[in-house]
Each structure stands twice: as structure tokens, then as C-alpha cells.
Amino acid sequence: LYQVHYRELFDLWDSDDVPVPRKELLQKVKGVDALVCVLTEKIDAELLDAAGPNLKVLSTMSVGFDHLSLEELKKRGIRVGYTPDVLTDSVAELTVALLLTTSRRLIEATHEAKTGGWGTWRTLWLCGYELANSTVGILGLGRIGVAIAERLKPFKVKKFIYTDVAPRPELASLIDAEYVSMDELASQSDFLTVCCALTPETKDICNKDLFSKMKNTSIFINTSRGGVVDQEDLYEALSSGQIAGAGLDVTVPEPLPTSHPLFTLNNCVILPHIASASYSTRNAMSALAANNLLLGLKGQPMIKELKL
């Protein structure tokens, strides 16, 4: 009986391999009261029009919301749940792993070991850059930026700096970070990690202008959203030696075509958007997304609701 009742109430796209096709999504949302989505679904005016006036609650299984047309949702009075906090530890851990992998050239090193490049001991072979006595810059200081800094501190980082739309003294005090301008962030950082949300203001904010001010020994790390980086400018900076290396968990588009020039560079490590991919975190995100939805349907406060 429960299964029959369940099937009447819910419609599920049951595939992890491909996102629900747009055409099918537009058909299936007609008349729904609530919708759970992930970051592969663009929730815009077209989709909201297709859903119709019954749609009152949207729950996204993500902390980022650049796939949502917030103005359209606000205009229609649709409440929005999302999943911050529960993925902070996982994203911070992955960011540190990616930073170390990039700076110590681990992907290159494993390739050399596998393919016979490992010969006699050589003085400067596969040398990288260490965190001890370095300056770490954070672009966009939020929960995740703080969590990254907390994990990097034991590596004897000398100084943390950050930039944001405005100083964030409460968060900064947790990691003893200094607020600086964008230019200072670029010129001072030995490691620059991007933790900001993708908004119209941050789109392509990491571009030729930023990279040209960075040290040629700097490592650039992005685990936020691919859209904050101008990838052509990043390719030029990496291939010309303007910066030493980059580690990316996010790109435009996703997946990044295997023919993309960034894949030809030894000093660029690209991961397939796995920052929150731990079993415990994905389970917590799923539960939070479901509970946000159910509470919204009941007209109750969500556990985590976006204020539109």
C-alpha cells in the first residue's frame, strides 16, 4: 500500500549517469506542488511557467544557487531550501587535498612512476611549493574559506589574507585573516583559493588582470564554481608560466570536454566536481534537501532556507 501511495505522490528521475532531459523535466513538472533539484537543473522562468501556480516549494541539493533564477522564484512567492553547512568539512578537505596535489605535483609524479620516468635521484626533479612560511589568500570568506584556513594552519602557513565585497571581521578573527584589496590578494598570495559564490559580480572575476598580478610561483585553486574563472585567461597564465599551477574542481562547462586545452597542461589538475563527494556528506545533503521540502510543504520554517 505504501509503495502504491508513494508512486502516486512522487515522480523520480532515477539516474545518476545523466541529468533529466530538459524536455522531460518541463513535462513532468506540470502541476507539481514541490520540486527537489540538483545543480544540473536550470530553474528559470520557462520551467516555473511549465510547473504552474501549484509550485510553492523548491529544494536544491546544493549550497550554490547560481542554477536558480532567484528573481523569478521571488516573484512567484516560491520558497527555496538549500544545503549549506553540511558540506563545509567535505569541501574544505577536498580543497586542501587539491592544493597539495597541485603544489607538490602529485599527478605528474604518479605518471612518471608508472611510465618509466623515475630514473636516478635528481636535485630539482618534480620540485613543487610548500605551505610552510607561505601566504594563503582566500577569495570570498565564508564558512568554507574559514574551514580551509583552519585545516591549512597546522602546515605552518605564515599569513592568511582575504578579500570579499566587504570586510568580515567575525569570520576573519577565527583564522586571524587580514582583509586586503583584490590587487593585494593577487600580488601577495602564494596560494590563492577561490571560495566565493557565482553571481553576476563574480563571473569571470579570476581573469587576465588577476593572473597578471600573481607571482610566477603561485598556485591557484578553485572549488567554488567554474564561472568565476575565465578559462582562456587561466590557460594563458599557466602555459606562459605567469603562475605555477592550478587545481580546479569546477569548470565551464561540466563535464569539461576532454579536448579542452587545459587538459594538455601538466601544471593544471582538474577534478570532476567532487568537493562534496563523501558518503556522509552526500547522505546529509540528501536528508537536508528532503526535510527542507517537507517542512516547506507544511508551511513550516525550513532547516536551511534561502532568503529571497
Side-chain angles (χ1 to χ4, degrees):
L1 181 64
Y2 177 78
Q3 285 183 329
V4 171
H5 190 50
Y6 174 89
R7 288 181 184 280
E8 286 174 358
L9 287 173
F10 293 91
D11 202 346
L12 178 70
W13 174 256
D14 195 11
S15 171
D16 254 356
D17 296 323
V18 291
V20 55
R22 180 73 175 180
K23 187 178 178 183
E24 185 164 346
L25 180 61
L26 291 172
Q27 290 171 346
K28 292 289 177 70
V29 296
K30 286 176 184 172
V32 299
D33 298 293
L35 180 65
V36 177
C37 71
V38 294
L39 49 80
T40 53
E41 278 70 66
K42 188 168 179 58
I43 309 300
D44 55 10
E46 180 188 35
L47 184 135
L48 297 173
D49 287 341
N54 285 354
L55 182 59
K56 292 290 181 281
V57 182
L58 174 76
S59 180
T60 181
M61 188 180 149
S62 65
V63 64
F65 42 83
D66 46 285
H67 57 303
L68 311 180
S69 297
L70 299 183
E71 283 301 315
E72 291 293 335
L73 288 158
K74 183 178 180 179
K75 192 163 71 178
R76 290 165 166 82
I78 297 169
R79 294 174 65 190
V80 179
Y82 70 138
T83 61
D85 299 334
V86 294
L87 48 63
T88 298
D89 287 336
S90 178
V91 174
E93 283 183 16
L94 188 280
T95 303
V96 173
L98 180 57
L99 185 153
L100 290 168
T101 297
T102 306
S103 64
R104 296 303 298 270
R105 301 170 65 180
L106 301 190
I107 304 301
E108 288 178 80
T110 53
H111 177 75
E112 293 293 323
K114 276 183 186 178
T115 57
W118 185 2
T120 185
W121 187 89
R122 283 168 271 174
T123 314
L124 294 178
W125 186 54
L126 288 172
C127 280
Y129 300 93
E130 59 188 68
L131 280 158
N133 299 310
S134 70
T135 295
V136 172
I138 301 168
L139 176 52
L141 187 66
R143 311 171 193 87
I144 291 171
V146 168
I148 291 166
E150 287 172 339
R151 284 158 175 78
L152 291 178
K153 198 168 187 179
F155 284 88
K156 298 183 180 178
V157 169
K158 180 177 67 179
K159 185 180 180 184
F160 290 103
I161 57 177
Y162 77 100
T163 196
D164 211 313
V165 288
R168 306 196 67 180
E170 285 185 23
L171 284 172
S173 67
L174 297 173
I175 54 171
D176 195 23
E178 178 190 341
Y179 180 75
V180 297
S181 68
M182 192 74 164
D183 283 355
E184 289 172 311
L185 188 82
S187 62
Q188 292 182 34
S189 296
D190 297 301
F191 298 87
L192 200 166
T193 180
V194 183
C195 308
C196 60
L198 176 58
T199 65
E201 291 73 35
T202 61
K203 186 171 180 355
D204 294 334
I205 197 170
C206 300
N207 54 27
K208 189 174 189 176
D209 185 52
L210 178 86
F211 300 132
S212 69
K213 295 181 174 76
M214 290 174 68
K215 304 173 188 179
N216 60 13
T217 53
S218 292
I219 301 293
F220 175 83
I221 303 293
N222 184 20
T223 53
S224 61
R225 285 291 185 265
V228 303
V229 178
D230 184 312
Q231 289 177 171
E232 287 186 17
D233 288 355
L234 177 61
Y235 174 83
E236 288 303 318
L238 289 167
S239 58
S240 68
Q242 176 66 58
I243 64 174
L248 311 174
D249 184 48
V250 285
T251 59
V252 178
E254 290 183 359
L256 192 66
T258 55
S259 59
H260 196 280
L262 284 172
F263 278 121
T264 67
L265 302 174
N266 285 336
N267 59 345
C268 188
V269 177
I270 300 173
L271 303 179
H273 202 150
I274 58 166
S276 67
S278 72
Y279 291 111
S280 57
T281 290
R282 289 286 169 85
N283 285 336
M285 290 171 71
S286 300
L288 180 53
N291 284 316
N292 280 339
L293 187 90
L294 294 171
L295 290 165
L297 279 171
K298 292 177 186 175
Q300 296 174 4
M302 293 182 187
I303 301 166
K304 294 292 177 182
E305 183 167 358
L306 262 177
K307 301 303 175 193
L308 301 180

